[in-house]
Structures are given as C-alpha cells and as structure tokens.
Amino acid sequence: MATPVSVLRLPKGPDPNSRGFDPNSPRFVALCRTSISTSAAEADAKELQREQRARSALRERFLRCLLTMTNKKVQFHMHEKVDVEATFGASDIDVLNFQVSDLHTPIGVQKEALIRCQDVISFTFDM
Amino acid sequence: MAMRQTPLTCSGHTRPVVDLAFSGITPFGYFLISACKDGKPMLRQGDTGDWIGTFLGHKGAVWGATLNTDATKAATAAADFTAKVWDAVSGDEVLSLAHKHIVKSVNFTQDSNCLLTAGNDKLLRIYDLSQPEAPSQEIAGHSAAIKKALWCNNDKQILSAADDKTIRLWDRSSMQEVKMLTFETSVSSMEYMADGELLVITYGKTIAFYNALSLELIKTVEAPAPINSASLHPEKDFFVAGGEDFKLYKFDYSTKEELESYKGHFGPVHCVRFSPDGELYASGSEDGTLRLWQTAVGKTYGLWKCVLPGKSLFVSVYTFCLNKMVYCG
C-alpha cells in the first residue's frame, strides 16, 4: 500500500477582503516604483524618518478628505477630458472604486454608480 | 517504500480554469498566472500555489494569461474584447487594448517590449508596449478564430494555431506566412520550448512533437483519452498531458511509454504546464481548481515533505485526513 506524500500545509487561498499584492511583501518593496520615490536605497535613518512622517501625513490627509467628502457634491476630472459631478458615498478599501449617487453625465443622470478610481485624474469639492 | 502522489489543490476560482502560465525563475522564486472564466485571473507563488493577488478589471471570461520572464508584467486575453497588460507586482492594470472580438491568446517577447495577441477576429496583432497609443501591426491569413499565438525563433517568428485546423509559421519582419501545417481536426493546444526549438501540439488523443523552425514532425504519442493540453519537461525526459477523462498522464519522452496516471480533478483538464525548474507541473480544470503535481513523487520541495521511516505512521494519518478534506473541499 503506497503512502501518500505528506504536505506541510495546503496552498493559501485568496483573501476575501482584498485583491492581494501585499505591499509589505519583499518583492513589492524591492520592485514597486511609487509615485514619490523612497530614499530607502540610501538607508539614512533620519531621512527615512522624515520621509515616513511626510508619507503618514499625506495618507492621513487623503483619508480625512474622503471622510469629509461623504454626501457632498464632488466634481471628478477624468481621462479623455471628462468632467462629471456626483454626490460622493464611499470608497472601497483598495481605492479602486468610488460609490457615488446622482452622477451627472453628458447622457443623463445616473442614480447610483461606481466610478473607477484609475480613471480619475483629480477631484474637487467645497468643504 | 512506494510513495503516492499528493496533488496540492489551489482554490479560489469560481469557474473553469482555461489557461495557465509560469514565469521564469526570478530572485523571488517563480510565479504562476491562471486564466478563468470568472474573469478574475490570479497570480500565485509557483512552488507553493499560495495566492498572491487577483487582477481585477476584465468584464468577461479570461481565456488566456501570461507572465513575462521576470514576472513583473502580466497580460490577459478576455471575452470582453480586450487584452490587458498588468503590473504583476502591484496588481494594477497598465494598459487595456481594445479588439474587435473575443481575445484568446497573449504572449510577450523576451524583452517584454512587444505583446502578441490573437483571437476570434482571426488576426494576429503585435503591440509595441512603449507606444501603446500607436495602432498594432496586423497579420491576416487564418480563416477561423485563432486559439493560440506564440513568439518563436528568438522573437523573429510567430506560430499560430486556429480553428481552421492549421498551424502557421509567420515571419515577423515581412509579416508573411512561411509555413503551414494542416490537421484533420482542430488543434486543442500548442506549447513552444525555446530551448531545443520544440513545439508540442495536442489534437484528438494525440500529443505531437515538431521542430519549431522547420515544422517537421518528430514523433506522435497516443493517449487513452482526448487530450486538451500537454507539456514537455525542461530536460525533455518526460511530458505530461491532461484532457477529457479528468486524469493527468505522465509519459517517457524517448520511449513514448505511459509511466503514470493521476486522478484528482473533478472535471476535464484544460491546461497543464511544467514549472521552469521542472520540479512540478500545474493543471487547470473545468472544476475551477488548479492542482500542483510533483515530478519526483516523494521529494521534499515546496509544500511537499519527504518523511523518514519511523515518523511515517503519524504523518500518514495526518496526510490521510488532509486528503479527505481536499476531496470533500
């Protein structure tokens, strides 16, 4: 009777809450070019600290911006010179999609819609 | 002590897995991409099957998927009439290339600068990825949908297999057809091996090996059931094949002898590929799973562990329970 080969564990399956591509994985850290380049290569601790503080500040500002935007009218400037206005609802966790209501488009008003974030260049709103 | 193969099941897809591809060996190991009818191709660590990420964006079944050699870029071909290029490290969509019909196949050149696409519009298209706005070069000739198109001969030529029951060899610079092979029935799959310039083709119950430059037949092997895909080991000592009877077959390349067959999938096997180091092969099936199989059964590699005699009773019971979970899962 042949013995089945033993395994350490089963392969890990997908995470139901995210699309993956862990930004903390060694490969991501080594290969991903961010829009703001890191000085990680030089490993100057003081510089890194300053940079990390700046990154945290920017991230916090962005998240607060999303919170403030909730239920407000926002103008989205998108690719192909498209500008639309909608009432902002929420963002998904990876900032891939924005859930909006009353989206004004050149072909009419969409009651509920999802805007793909990669299509958005910038957005403005009155606080 | 004889060892029995324990395939590793990679779950996550919700519909049939129709294509899969490995990257080359990178400093971070090697990677595997799977194309699925659920429209969500996935990237996995090649030696363990661990999920890394899902490429989100396609709006239809994904029919073809590929990685470049260093696994920094991925490309997918889908029923939503687009081929997409992705950053395989961040998972972001980099380019969406609109086509006039379902796209079935995508393939990068070795330098990752050009992408070859093909599909139901019967055209081969070459995109220069450094100039994505520029129109693609088109090669016409096939009279039916193209299933697979691959770069060959150092990216100087192109091989294409279509539902018109032909496989054609094209010259890239002249964009002309150089040779054609005609078959009695539609070719189900085609794999190209640069090292040795070999072409592995499957049709009906046959696995055929050709010289990729001259398109001369080297040999054919008959399998017990209709075969959908086959892959030759990098060292060219064996090849594996899978098809309609749900089983994976392992053959000796020189003697053509059937060495082993493995049950495991709950549906027809659509694709099978050897890893770049030849230590394992992956199969994708109608049952929505990918399975990883050891080339040398019992060897310690990836998640498989060689057990010394003495510990075997405890480990056998544990593995038996694991297998039961896998079968029910």
Side-chain angles (χ1 to χ4, degrees), chain B residues 128-179:
Chain B
D128 178 348
L129 298 178
S130 57
Q131 295 184 66
E133 307 293 313
S136 57
Q137 289 181 290
E138 289 174 14
I139 303 178
H142 276 295
S143 54
I146 303 173
K147 234 181 206 136
K148 197 102 191 180
L150 300 168
W151 293 104
C152 65
N153 193 6
N154 242 321
D155 300 336
K156 295 198 288 256
Q157 291 181 311
I158 292 167
L159 276 163
S160 59
D163 287 342
D164 57 10
K165 304 182 193 165
T166 69
I167 287 185
R168 299 182 200 214
L169 180 66
W170 312 80
D171 186 73
R172 188 226 182 122
S173 36
S174 67
M175 311 251 286
Q176 295 301 312
E177 183 185 309
V178 170
K179 275 198 174 65

Side-chain angles (χ1 to χ4, degrees), chain A residues 16-17 28 31 35 37 53 81 84 109 116 123:
Chain A
N17 300 316
F28 193 107
L31 299 177
S35 50
S37 56
R53 250 179 267 134
K81 298 194 177 56
V84 291
V109 179
R116 205 169 50 173
F123 54 83

Side-chain angles (χ1 to χ4, degrees), chain A:
Chain A
M1 177 71 191
T3 323
V5 178
S6 41
V7 290
L8 298 169
R9 56 170 174 82
L10 294 176
K12 294 180 195 154
D15 175 356
N17 300 316
S18 123
R19 67 183 176 117
F21 300 102
D22 180 12
N24 298 315
S25 73
R27 194 169 91 113
F28 193 107
V29 168
L31 299 177
C32 245
R33 268 170 278 119
T34 51
S35 50
I36 313 164
S37 56
T38 44
S39 33
E42 284 107 80
D44 172 7
K46 231 172 119 187
E47 270 305 306
L48 272 175
Q49 238 189 3
R50 261 189 72 207
E51 194 180 293
Q52 200 45 30
R53 250 179 267 134
R55 285 177 180 279
S56 309
L58 286 169
R59 175 70 175 169
E60 193 181 327
R61 258 227 229 146
F62 176 68
L63 293 173
R64 286 191 188 285
C65 175
L66 291 181
L67 282 173
T68 316
M69 248 162 67
T70 315
N71 297 326
K72 291 209 167 62
K73 281 208 169 58
V74 180
Q75 287 86 41
F76 294 93
H77 310 289
M78 307 177 74
H79 286 287
E80 309 275 345
K81 298 194 177 56
V82 170
D83 283 324
V84 291
E85 190 189 87
T87 306
F88 180 76
S91 167
D92 65 2
I93 193 154
D94 286 314
V95 196
L96 282 174
N97 297 291
F98 284 160
Q99 178 254 317
V100 296
S101 323
D102 282 325
L103 175 68
H104 289 256
T105 76
I107 54 163
V109 179
Q110 192 69 29
K111 252 180 92 178
E112 300 292 336
L114 279 179
I115 292 183
R116 205 169 50 173
C117 293
Q118 69 199 68
D119 295 340
V120 179
I121 297 174
S122 67
F123 54 83
T124 43
F125 65 100
D126 289 325
M127 297 212 311

Side-chain angles (χ1 to χ4, degrees), chain B residues 30-60:
Chain B
Y30 58 88
F31 300 85
L32 171 59
I33 187 171
S34 49
C36 182
K37 285 190 183 176
D38 62 12
K40 300 190 180 122
M42 290 185 178
L43 185 72
R44 294 175 188 273
Q45 192 70 43
D47 62 338
T48 58
D50 289 339
W51 175 82
I52 292 174
T54 304
F55 298 101
L56 298 174
H58 274 302
K59 298 189 182 78

Side-chain angles (χ1 to χ4, degrees), chain B:
Chain B
M1 181 177 58
M3 298 299 287
R4 193 154 54 86
Q5 170 90 264
T6 306
L8 291 167
T9 304
C10 306
S11 57
H13 284 304
T14 53
R15 296 214 53 218
V17 176
V18 291
D19 192 22
L20 61 91
F22 280 99
S23 70
I25 298 173
T26 82
F28 302 93
Y30 58 88
F31 300 85
L32 171 59
I33 187 171
S34 49
C36 182
K37 285 190 183 176
D38 62 12
K40 300 190 180 122
M42 290 185 178
L43 185 72
R44 294 175 188 273
Q45 192 70 43
D47 62 338
T48 58
D50 289 339
W51 175 82
I52 292 174
T54 304
F55 298 101
L56 298 174
H58 274 302
K59 298 189 182 78
V62 177
W63 287 102
T66 191
L67 290 166
N68 65 351
T69 315
D70 62 6
T72 50
K73 289 190 201 171
T76 50
D80 62 5
F81 293 21
T82 69
K84 287 182 191 283
V85 179
W86 311 79
D87 178 323
V89 184
S90 66
D92 293 333
E93 182 183 314
V94 166
L95 268 181
S96 187
L97 304 164
H99 288 62
K100 302 221 162 59
H101 211 309
I102 296 170
V103 194
K104 285 282 180 77
S105 171
V106 272
N107 195 230
F108 286 106
T109 46
Q110 282 160 31
D111 59 9
S112 312
N113 283 340
C114 290
L115 185 72
L116 173 66
T117 71
N120 290 15
D121 65 359
K122 311 174 202 170
L123 296 171
L124 293 164
R125 286 171 201 270
I126 301 169
Y127 289 87
D128 178 348
L129 298 178
S130 57
Q131 295 184 66
E133 307 293 313
S136 57
Q137 289 181 290
E138 289 174 14
I139 303 178
H142 276 295
S143 54
I146 303 173
K147 234 181 206 136
K148 197 102 191 180
L150 300 168
W151 293 104
C152 65
N153 193 6
N154 242 321
D155 300 336
K156 295 198 288 256
Q157 291 181 311
I158 292 167
L159 276 163
S160 59
D163 287 342
D164 57 10
K165 304 182 193 165
T166 69
I167 287 185
R168 299 182 200 214
L169 180 66
W170 312 80
D171 186 73
R172 188 226 182 122
S173 36
S174 67
M175 311 251 286
Q176 295 301 312
E177 183 185 309
V178 170
K179 275 198 174 65
M180 179 167 82
L181 285 173
T182 317
F183 298 85
E184 302 270 296
T185 169
S186 234
V187 165
S188 46
S189 80
M190 182 170 76
E191 185 194 51
Y192 166 70
M193 291 183 79
D195 176 21
E197 293 290 347
L198 283 168
L199 194 59
V200 183
I201 295 166
T202 59
Y203 55 90
K205 294 185 186 177
T206 310
I207 303 125
F209 299 88
Y210 285 80
N211 175 307
L213 300 171
S214 62
L215 289 194
E216 266 161 30
L217 177 63
I218 299 171
K219 64 174 84 174
T220 62
V221 181
E222 294 301 300
I227 295 295
N228 292 328
S229 177
S231 182
L232 181 60
H233 187 274
E235 259 133 71
K236 303 173 189 71
D237 35 14
F238 11 72
F239 64 94
V240 288
E244 295 295 306
D245 68 355
F246 312 176
K247 290 191 203 170
L248 265 297
Y249 291 96
K250 185 180 181 187
F251 292 85
D252 181 304
Y253 180 61
S254 354
T255 67
K256 303 208 238 178
E257 196 193 327
E258 183 191 314
L259 299 169
E260 287 280 1
S261 66
Y262 300 112
K263 286 197 235 180
H265 277 298
F266 296 101
V269 175
H270 289 306
C271 45
V272 61
R273 285 280 175 271
F274 265 107
S275 62
D277 62 2
E279 295 284 354
L280 58 82
Y281 45 100
S283 57
S285 165
E286 184 77 10
D287 66 10
T289 67
L290 271 124
R291 274 164 216 255
L292 302 180
W293 310 80
Q294 277 192 294
T295 303
V297 179
K299 184 174 175 181
T300 295
Y301 181 84
L303 297 176
W304 291 287
K305 191 159 169 56
C306 173
V307 172
L308 302 163
K311 293 190 185 156
S312 61
L313 178 62
F314 167 73
V315 181
S316 311
V317 170
Y318 175 66
T319 320
F320 176 78
C321 295
L322 256 184
N323 282 344
K324 278 283 173 199
M325 274 160 55
V326 171
Y327 270 76
C328 298

